[in-house]
Every structure is written in structure tokens, then in C-alpha cells.
Amino acid sequence: MSWTTVIWSMSGGICLALAAVHFLVWCKARNSWLHLAFAVSAAAAAAAGVFELLMMHSQTTVEYGQALRLLQIPVQVLVVSLVWFVYLYLKAGRRWLAWSIYVLRALILVVDFASAPNINFLEITALRQIPWWGERLVVPVGVVNPWVYLIRVGDVLLLAFVVDAAVAAWRQGRRRRALVMGGAVVCTIIVAVTVAVLMVIGGLFIPTTVTVPFLLIVFVMGYEISVDLVRSHQLEQELQDSEARMRLAAAATGVGLWEWNIAKDDIWATEKTRARVGLGESENMDFDRYLESVHLDDREPTRQAALRALEGRGEYRAEFRVVTADGVTHWVSGQGRVERDGQGKPFRMRGTSIDITERKQTEEALRKSEERLKEAQRIAHVGNWDWNIVTNDLLWSDEIYRVFGLAPQEFGATYEAFLDRVHPDDREFVTRSVEDAVRDGKPYSIDHRIRLPDGSERIVHEQAEVMRGADGEPIRMVGTVLDITQRVLIEQEARRLHSQLAHFGRVSIMGQFAASLAHELNQPLTAILSNAQAAVRLLANDKPDIEETRAALADIVHDGRRAGDVIYRLRDLLRRDREHKSSLDLHSLIEELASLLRGEAQAENISMTLDLDETLPMVLADRVEIQQVLLNLLINGIEALRTRTDTPRHLAVRTSRASDSRIEVAVADNGGGIGTDHLERIFEPFFTTKEAGMGMGLAICNSIVQAHGGRLWATSDPDSGATFHFTLPICEKEDR
């Protein structure tokens, strides 16, 4: 056996072996068309080698011509599969060039079988034997067929297609593939065409060979596919490692993975996902079985979400409850994406599932908390708001809308829209308060009126804080709104009732110091009467004493004014004017009341002393109401001393500074004191220790002092008597 036969046989065997291997690969993975293209190319190269051996050992010109004709079949298959392989491998190439090659090769086959003896020769006149690798082989001698140039045109088209595809792949970044595959094919075509042309024109006498040049292409193709196979194996291993890491990460984060083969209706899922739907590791799962684990109320929405993903953009999102075999309910969030084939039909959906039970429980707790907050705000008439100073967006809670009598769609949700609802007379005050808070960070706590759409008014109390950014600039203001309309009305009514009750107390006091009042009025009236009688007698003389008469009349005027002052003070005590607090000289008031009661005290043999600190400032109080408090305490002291016979009776009034902002007044008597069981109740309404008392005097005094921001209390000692203390605020604007 010659070297030619050995080499051609070995080459054919290698090609067939490679073809078989890659054909089996294609059978395992039917979408791997690249392997099928290579298998066809390798098998065609092996077949071409068989016909070349027949040609080299032909005995007659007829045998040679017949073998050369049949050689075109595997050659055409080799070219077509080579174009197919290049297109798939380089992922580039012009389709019209490929189809031009296919059509031309089909035409070459037709011409080859229509010509005699073949497309290469019109006539083979002889076979010349030449020495070749240790044996003698034959080469043809004859007349060249003009149709042979169709083969050369096909070679040029093939060369153009490969070059174009290689350039495109190079530009797309697949440079190694373009260089190796494109370079091998181009070199092989150039060598094959050159040898064929020289053989046809008779310039080169060597055996006809297509196998050897194209064997280089087959080897390059096989090598490149083998590299891809190795790389695929490496990628597969990396993918397995990545999947293992992904499974580990999913298990650590509680994420379940699943994949739905839509065509087979088969669902693959990780252990986490299977556990959530109550499936074992070996149990098969389809879409219906998956839906069976979903809570009945969530089953249809989940199914619709999957159908929308299949029919729409391919995004699957759903939150639903699943019930495990032991009856435990979990919330699950499922997300996935649909994958489609070349025809746009969905064939697979991949996704994840996450247990969101804890989040749902938190959301439910938050929802209930918000409901309770809204209910509390509704009951308390308190709402909260948030003003973004930068964007001027104002957010109100539901309760604020109710307080303002507005629906959300009726409110512009801006600061200006809020100001439109503020009472016009209060608008400037509100604006100034907001500006001060934003600019200076001053506390924002104001009361103002608002107008409702129906024209009615309400009074609200607002409190807020200003939030500042990292640069110190104000960015937000958050606060609350409290409807205080009812509270203000109640306070107004309470003040009215308080005024009436205080007036009633003052009237009742009149009866208690009637004797002192009669004494105070009796003295000036008696003096007026005496002076008037004296003036009449003086005027009755023949020679009236004008100076004496003038002096008597002056005394009458003085005593009249004295009686008028008593009546004026009585009128002040009984008037029902509204409360008016101003700067009050407390010592002058005490001295006036002492003079009013001094007559009654003297009648009861009670000494009255005043221990007043003249350095004390004035107080901020209502003169009439404080007069009522002092008068009530002094009369109570006089009444307490009437039963004391074993010791001299004494009533004292003292003033002192209680603190930096308060003055204390004390009214003390040395009577029998107040029992311990009565001391805590003496300021209660209708509680009294007097037989004819109503129990309202001290209660009224207590309410008056508290309304002034002070405190009224009592101390008692059986040996030294009782002392009543009360405090009043100092008037900061004016001192004594």
C-alpha cells in the first residue's frame, strides 16, 4: 500500500470520526446546528477523498471522467455546509451571498451531470502516469470544458462570503474567531483554486486533490469546536458552581427559586419553594398543583397574574397566601420573567419566591395602628400636617380635612391654599408666626380662627417644629392642628358663670358687713346733719357769722365726699363688669378695705393691724375680684374671733414676696382655728362650718385666685388660730 492511499485513508477516517462525534453531539442537543454543519462538512471531505483515490487509480479515461463527475457531489455538499458553518460560527455573513453560492452550486451539479464526461472536460484524451510518493498515479489530459469557470465563480463567491463574514466578526469583537476561521478558509480556497486552475490548463501535473486542502479547514473547524466544547464544559462547571453559590445565598436569605417549563407544564423548584407549597423533593409539580397550595381567596388573582405575564410583557408579580399541609398560612411574594422562542411564544418562566409573612404582619399592625391613630385624631379633633418648604407641598391628615370642612380634591395642598382658609383678621398674625418660626426657629404655637366653606368659623390651635437640612436651611415644617372651638366656647361660658358667681358672692358679702357699712355712712351723714343745723342757726342771727358758716359748709362738703367714697366703693364691689386685669396697688386696696371694716372690728373689740412690705411691686389683677377675696377673708376672720373670749382678739394682714414672680398675702386671726378634718375641704363648694353659711364664699375666692394664676390655701393652729394665704403674679411692666 502506497503513502497516498495511507494518507488519504487516514484523512478520510479522521474526518468520518469527527463527523460521527459531532453528529452525536447534535443528536443530544438538537439546537446545536453548528455541530451538524461540521459533521456534514467532515463527512463530505471524507467522501471526496474516496473519489479522489478512485481517480488516481483509474485504468481508463471513462473511469476517470466518471469519478471526476461524482466528485462534484461531496464537493458541493462540503461548500454548502462550509458556508453554513461559517455563518453560524462567526455569527456574521450576508445572507444573499450565501444563497447565491447555494444556487450556483446547484447549477454546477446540473451542468456536471449534463456534460460529457463532466463539467471539467469536454473530452479526456489520455491518462498520464506520474510518480507520486512511491507509486505511479494518473492525471488526465484532454479538452477543458468552458463550464468549468462556473466553479471558479463559485470559488470567488465563497471567498467573498468568508472575507465579509470575517471582517464583520472582527468589528463585532470576535477577533480570534474571525482571524483563525476566516484565515484558514481563505488560504484553503486560494490554494485549492490555484491548484485546480494549473491542473486544468496543463501547467501542473499532480493528482486531483480536494481532500488535502479542505482537510485543513476540517481540522481548523474541529479544533475551534473542540475549544468551544472545552469552554462550554468550563462554563458548565462555572455555572454549576454559580448555581451552588446561588442556592446557598438563596437558602441564607430565604429566597426560593423556581422554573416553569410551559410546554411540558412542569415546575422545578428549590427546597425552599417546595417547602412553602407543601411538596416533597420527589413529588412532581405542575401549575395546577402549585395553585392548589395557594389560599382559596388568592388563587384566582394568582392565576390571572401568571396569564397576564404569558400574554403581556412577560413580567410576573404576585403576593398571595399559601397553606401548608399542617394548616399553617404563610404570605409569599412571587416574581418571574417569561422567556420566548424565536416565534415569540412563551416556553419558560423563571422566578423567585420570598416569604413575606413577617412583612405582612408588620404592615397589618401598621395599618391597625394608623386606623387607631385616625380614630384617636377624630375623637380628639387633632390632625397632623407636613409642609415641604422647598417644594411647597402641604400634606394633611384626614382629620384636618374634617376640621376645615374640605375634601382632599377641594384643597390645593399648598401653604397659600391653607392661608386662604384662615380668617382674614388672623391671616397676618399666622403669616408672621410662620415666618418667625422658619427664619429664627422660634416655637410655633398659636390659636387662630378658620373659615369653613359654608361660612361658619372654627378656632384651632396649631403647634409645629421646623426641620433643617445639613446646611442649616429650613426644609420641612411638621405640626398638629387641634380644633379648640368647643373648648373656647366652654371657657367663655365658664368665665361668664364665674363672673355671675363672683357677683353673687359680693352681694352676699353685703349682708355680712352691713354694720360696718352703716357705721361708715352714719359718721359722715351725722356730721353733715350737725353742720347743716349749725349753719342754719348761724344764718338765723341778726348778724350772721360768715366765717363760721363757711367753715360749717366746708365740713358738709368734706363729709359728703366721704360718704360718696363709701358708696362708690360699694358700687365697685357690686358691679358686674367683665374681668379686667391691670396693674394694681395691692397695699392701697388693703388699706381701703381695712378702713371699711374698722368700725365693725372696733364694735367687736377686735384690733386690726397691717404689716405691709412697701418695697413690693404692683400685681397684675382685677381690682374688684381681689377686693372680693380680701373682703371675704377679713369678714371670715372677724366672725371667727367673735367666739373667742379668753384672750384679746387680733386680726392681721401681711404681704411678702413669695418668689421672683409672685407676691403672697396672708390674713391671720387668733381665733379657734380650723379642724384638721375640715382643713382639706373648706374650699369645696357648699361646704361650710357656719350654721347659716352657704359654703360658697371660699370656693369663689379659690376660683378667683386660680383664674389669676395664683394659689389659695389655709394653715391652722388651735393655739394661734387660722391663716389664709394667697399669691398673685407680679406686674412686670410697672413697679411700686
Side-chain angles (χ1 to χ4, degrees), residues 133-184:
W133 289 353
E135 66 175 318
R136 300 186 68 82
L137 303 178
V138 298
V139 295
V141 178
V143 180
V144 176
N145 193 336
W147 287 103
V148 76
Y149 294 104
L150 282 178
I151 299 177
R152 304 289 81 82
V153 173
D155 294 337
V156 172
L157 288 177
L158 177 60
L159 185 63
F161 175 80
V162 173
V163 171
D164 176 71
V167 171
W170 180 277
R171 291 175 177 174
Q172 293 171 7
R174 295 182 293 276
R175 297 189 174 184
R176 180 186 172 281
R177 290 191 175 193
L179 185 62
V180 175
M181 193 66 213

Side-chain angles (χ1 to χ4, degrees), residues 20 87 107 109 197 207 222 305 385 557 559 623 676-677 718:
Y87 181 79
L107 178 61
L109 278 179
V197 170
W385 52 268
V557 171
D559 291 332
R623 177 184 178 85
T676 305
D677 54 340

